[in-house]
Amino acid sequence: MRTQVGIVGAGPAGLLLSHLLARQGIESVVLESRSRAYVEKRVRAGVLEHPTVELLRGVGLAERMDREGLPHGGISLRFDGGDHRIDFADLVGRGIVVYGQQEVVKDLIAARLAAGGDLRFEVSEVTLDGITSDPVIGFVDADGQRRELHCDVIAGCDGFHGISRAAVPGEVFDRQYPFAWLGILAEAAPTHEELVYANHPNGFALYSMRSPEVTRLYLQVPPDTNADDWSDARIWDELQLRLAADGFSINEGPLLEKGVTGMRSFVSEPMRHGKLFLAGDAAHIVPPTGAKGMNLAIADVRMLADALIGYLHEKDESGVDAYSDTCLRRVWRAEHFSWWMTSMLHNFPDEDAFTRRLQLSQLRYTVSSRAAATSLAENYVGLPHGAAL
Ligand code: RFL
Ligand code: PHB
């Protein structure tokens, strides 16, 4: 088999890359280890930043998002018994859209299949060879046939646990946090229109949603937590307590999903080796507090698609040569923002009184100074793609 771009991984990064390349007449094959049903059901991110929304609109992927997504003009920070709204619309004139990652993935798969795209699910034993000369991806297809896919370049979009990153020699930057998030999806109508980030003495809590019928909520828990140790009643009690504010209560309902997510900051540099390019979680991870992971994956592949179009159509290497450095500037901005939000909003187990006072001071400053609130807003709604960072 032969194609121009061999893409490993059918998450938002791999699927969007395939879509962007196809629009410019470049062929790709997407290889995914999981089934289509699995990737379409995997519950993950929920916040699309402004540049993501604009990109999806610009490339014909926004029809359902514009119908079903929930546009938000701000978020609340809740601490010390008070609720403080950060008004994105007023501060930066832009907002976000709440639309589940798996909905983006469903829309992408539908668009690729409608355009005759080659997506292969349930492949196994994926290997990468010839990365600095003639790239070949080896794999076993869903029917058990071993195959070789020869390509001009490989895009490693296989997430944090994929195989691509190991083929790129370089340096790794890693930080683990001493807590995790217990996340639930509940069949309960949201009682509040926007997201609430709460810093409570018992730990962080986040109020989010997916639709007018489904609420998404998170609690800070110890890193080794087993989700089964938390009964539904205990989860609701803790959410009601940590998110409490005047006139605010959470509708409870049956849980559709419950899981624990670790918190980590991670960057692997560079994002390219020879003809292998990393994009998305394959190259970097952020803790979810800034809602940046999927948005960064999307920014990477936008840059990568432009670079590959120049390279494959016109043999212009300037874009592929600049890819890693340019992406990493946005990556580190998001790493900083996510680390900052995480540090400001969570309880650190060994936190002393001095650190706690600093945290509260930072929260008060963020909600009372227009300059500080604007900085949060501009990062949260997303700095423009292509901004000098
Ligand atoms: P993905 O989505 O992990 O996709 C990688 C794909 O590669 C496949 N794969 C392989 N395929 C073939 N061969 C192999 N050897 C393979 N190994 C792996 C995998 O099965 C998978 O399908 O990476 P991608 O495309 O880079 O996308 C990144 C995002 O998924 C991730 O950053 C976000 O989900 C992070 N995230 C959030 N991001 C946001 O922008 N906003 C949010 O609000 C937000 N909230 C979150 C989040 C992630 C969370 N979890 C569960 C980690 C909330 C949570 C709880
Ligand atoms: C979500 O709705 O899943 C969500 C929202 C905001 C975050 C993280 C996750 O910061």
Side-chain angles (χ1 to χ4, degrees):
M1 291 169 63
R2 175 148 201 106
T3 190
Q4 288 175 288
V5 183
I7 301 176
V8 188
L15 291 166
L16 180 61
L17 179 63
S18 174
H19 179 86
L20 296 176
L21 292 173
R23 283 171 58 86
Q24 300 296 326
I26 293 177
E27 274 179 18
S28 63
V29 175
V30 181
L31 304 174
E32 165 61 49
S33 54
R34 303 285 191 165
S35 67
R36 177 178 177 186
Y38 183 92
V39 301
E40 289 190 341
K41 283 208 190 84
R42 191 163 45 190
V43 179
R44 283 190 168 178
V47 172
L48 306 185
E49 60 177 30
H50 181 76
T52 298
V53 170
E54 294 281 278
L55 173 65
L56 295 178
R57 286 192 181 131
V59 297
L61 289 166
E63 201 224 326
R64 200 161 64 92
M65 178 196 78
D66 279 331
R67 211 171 50 239
E68 298 176 17
L70 308 170
H72 287 193
I75 56 168
S76 284
L77 298 186
R78 211 165 266 183
F79 58 93
D80 230 3
D83 181 82
H84 310 266
R85 180 161 187 264
I86 307 285
D87 188 334
F88 296 157
D90 172 47
L91 293 164
V92 293
R94 301 188 295 280
I96 53 158
V97 172
V98 172
Y99 188 63
Q101 174 169 326
Q102 74 272 37
E103 307 306 325
V104 175
V105 164
K106 278 185 217 161
D107 295 345
L108 279 163
I109 290 175
R112 286 311 295 130
L113 293 178
D118 191 346
L119 308 183
R120 297 180 184 224
F121 293 96
E122 298 178 71
V123 305
S124 54
E125 296 176 46
V126 176
T127 55
L128 309 181
D129 289 295
I131 284 163
T132 53
S133 51
D134 297 305
V136 185
I137 309 179
F139 65 100
V140 174
D141 228 332
D143 61 9
Q145 282 275 332
R146 172 152 280 287
R147 296 181 197 277
E148 281 191 347
L149 174 63
H150 295 257
C151 21
D152 295 324
V153 298
I154 299 175
C157 303
D158 47 350
F160 190 62
H161 301 287
I163 52 147
S164 302
R165 189 173 58 246
V168 179
E171 199 174 352
V172 158
F173 303 84
D174 196 5
R175 173 160 304 186
Q176 303 226 31
Y177 299 87
F179 38 75
W181 281 13
L182 172 67
I184 63 162
L185 197 64
E187 209 178 314
T191 49
H192 186 74
E193 282 178 4
E194 294 177 346
L195 274 62
V196 181
Y197 289 80
N199 171 308
H200 184 274
N202 283 16
F204 170 78
L206 171 61
Y207 177 91
S208 180
M209 63 214 64
R210 283 294 179 272
S211 72
E213 297 83 35
V214 175
T215 318
R216 176 83 168 141
L217 299 137
Y218 298 94
L219 286 171
Q220 175 185 344
V221 292
D224 51 0
T225 297
N226 178 349
D228 296 333
D229 293 342
W230 281 73
S231 67
D232 294 10
R234 182 175 173 208
I235 294 173
W236 288 116
D237 286 352
E238 200 58 32
L239 285 165
Q240 299 284 10
L241 178 74
R242 294 190 197 178
L243 285 158
D246 278 350
F248 180 86
S249 74
I250 303 168
N251 278 340
E252 299 181 9
L255 300 200
L256 303 168
E257 241 248 2
K258 174 165 88 169
V260 173
T261 307
M263 303 279 283
R264 183 168 206 163
S265 299
F266 177 96
V267 182
S268 173
E269 296 186 1
M271 290 170 61
R272 172 194 183 183
H273 179 55
K275 293 177 178 168
L276 169 63
F277 297 82
L278 301 180
D281 278 16
H284 41 74
I285 293 283
V286 286
T289 327
K292 284 282 165 263
M294 172 172 55
N295 293 297
L296 263 190
I298 284 172
D300 285 355
V301 297
R302 177 185 209 164
M303 179 85 53
L304 183 54
D306 286 347
L308 292 178
I309 290 160
Y311 177 61
L312 295 170
H313 277 329
E314 287 148 37
K315 292 271 169 266
D316 172 2
E317 297 194 12
S318 58
V320 289
D321 287 346
Y323 171 71
S324 177
D325 285 352
T326 314
C327 273
L328 283 166
R329 285 170 173 267
R330 188 178 183 87
V331 167
W332 278 109
R333 176 88 299 278
E335 290 288 343
H336 183 278
F337 179 66
S338 308
W339 161 83
W340 177 73
M341 287 282 280
T342 302
S343 309
M344 180 167 72
L345 287 161
H346 290 75
N347 279 1
F348 286 73
D350 49 7
E351 184 174 72
D352 58 14
F354 181 82
T355 313
R356 174 72 184 149
R357 292 289 189 285
L358 291 181
Q359 196 183 45
L360 280 173
S361 171
Q362 185 61 37
L363 281 163
R364 281 192 221 106
Y365 177 57
T366 302
V367 301
S368 58
S369 151
R370 189 171 174 93
T374 303
S375 173
L376 189 158
E378 136 172 288
N379 280 277
Y380 197 98
V381 305
L383 290 147
H385 289 166
L389 296 171

